[in-house]
Amino acid sequence: MGLCLTKIQGDEDDSDQHVEFAAGNVGLVTTKEGWEQKLSEASRDGKTVIANFSATWCGPCRMIAPFYCELSEKHPSLMFLVVDVDELTEFSSSWDIKATPTFFFLRDGQQVDKLVGANKPELQKKITAVLDSAAPS
């Protein structure tokens, strides 16, 4: 099972509690500065960013996390990020997050697509569309 992108609070050292949201090639964003740095890195490298706004308590977020990590490994030409809406509340609000998970697709810092919900086929479809649109003609 995948886990949402956040650290579990408490003293328990139960590794079963930790579902890796930032496994594979998924980058964990913990600050607004970190977000800006990743976006500028993606622009510099010509990469499209897929940003997953999720929460550790969110069942659908935990369910799709391993799939998101797999996608990050299959598509190294894209930058996969995860933002914990509870850790970056104000920042997440600025993106008008109404439900988790919400995936944003960004090119040169601009939104090119969006997906709300843990819909694996739709996420795969949107990633394929982004890859096709970025492919040289």
Side-chain angles (χ1 to χ4, degrees):
M1 286 281 168
L3 143 170
C4 289
L5 167 197
T6 209
K7 298 172 204 103
I8 302 211
Q9 303 299 320
D11 294 330
E12 67 266 29
D13 188 24
D14 183 3
S15 58
D16 289 345
Q17 291 286 329
H18 298 278
V19 177
E20 284 303 322
F21 280 133
N25 290 321
V26 178
L28 175 60
V29 176
T30 56
T31 64
K32 188 170 184 332
E33 295 72 28
W35 171 264
E36 297 297 337
Q37 182 181 353
K38 289 291 190 184
L39 284 193
S40 96
E41 193 181 302
S43 290
R44 184 191 68 225
D45 298 343
K47 290 186 172 188
T48 299
V49 172
I50 295 114
N52 174 8
F53 285 78
S54 65
T56 51
W57 48 263
C58 163
C61 297
R62 289 197 302 271
M63 187 262 318
I64 203 161
F67 180 67
Y68 188 67
C69 293
E70 280 175 34
L71 290 170
S72 76
E73 292 170 343
K74 283 185 198 164
H75 304 292
S77 63
L78 303 173
M79 181 181 284
F80 289 77
L81 301 175
V82 67
V83 177
D84 186 320
V85 297
D86 292 327
E87 283 192 23
L88 290 175
T89 311
E90 195 173 306
F91 176 71
S92 298
S93 295
S94 73
W95 281 85
D96 199 28
I97 304 299
K98 302 263 191 258
T100 55
T102 297
F103 300 90
F104 285 96
F105 298 78
L106 310 166
R107 189 173 291 131
D108 295 322
Q110 301 300 306
Q111 180 180 332
V112 294
D113 208 345
K114 176 181 175 179
L115 172 65
V116 178
N119 184 330
K120 289 181 184 181
E122 194 62 23
L123 181 58
Q124 179 66 69
K125 188 170 138 186
K126 288 183 179 285
I127 286 174
T128 300
V130 162
L131 288 167
D132 289 348
S133 71
S137 311

